[in-house]
Amino acid sequence: MSEGVTYRNWRGRPALTKDGAARVVMTVGGGWIGAKAEDGIDALTIAREGASIGEGQFADMFAAWKLPDLSGWYQSRADRPFSSLAAARAWARR
């Protein structure tokens, strides 16, 4: 998880928006690209058309699409010592 990131499902593709910028993956197993007008998409289009989804649903999509981590935007759950902030807090209180 990263602060200020909104998880999105844009036309069936995983997308992230943050501070007026967006990143999207166009094909399964593909890499993250920046949303640029010259590519026929932009951050505003993704924010407007992409349904906001929860982190859990996005994590499932992330795994199914075999996506690489995106520094400062999203890190795979498999790379985290805890699956959620609540789990980390529960462990810390023990």
Side-chain angles (χ1 to χ4, degrees):
M1 283 186 287
S2 288
E3 205 168 310
V5 172
T6 302
Y7 310 107
R8 298 190 181 277
N9 181 338
W10 178 68
R11 298 181 182 177
R13 297 176 176 99
L16 300 165
T17 55
K18 173 180 161 182
D19 299 330
R23 300 291 183 269
V24 66
V25 176
M26 302 302 279
T27 60
V28 174
W32 293 100
I33 63 168
K36 301 176 191 163
E38 58 266 22
D39 296 332
I41 55 174
D42 59 28
L44 183 59
T45 299
I46 290 175
R48 185 177 50 237
E49 295 178 4
S52 179
I53 58 177
E55 195 270 340
Q57 185 179 355
F58 187 84
D60 293 343
M61 185 180 240
F62 188 92
W65 278 60
K66 300 173 180 60
L67 302 177
D69 289 351
L70 186 58
S71 182
W73 290 69
Y74 191 80
Q75 179 184 8
S76 166
R77 281 184 170 185
D79 296 339
R80 298 181 199 161
F82 299 101
S83 62
S84 69
L85 182 57
R89 286 182 178 157
W91 181 86
R93 284 190 216 121
R94 293 187 308 154

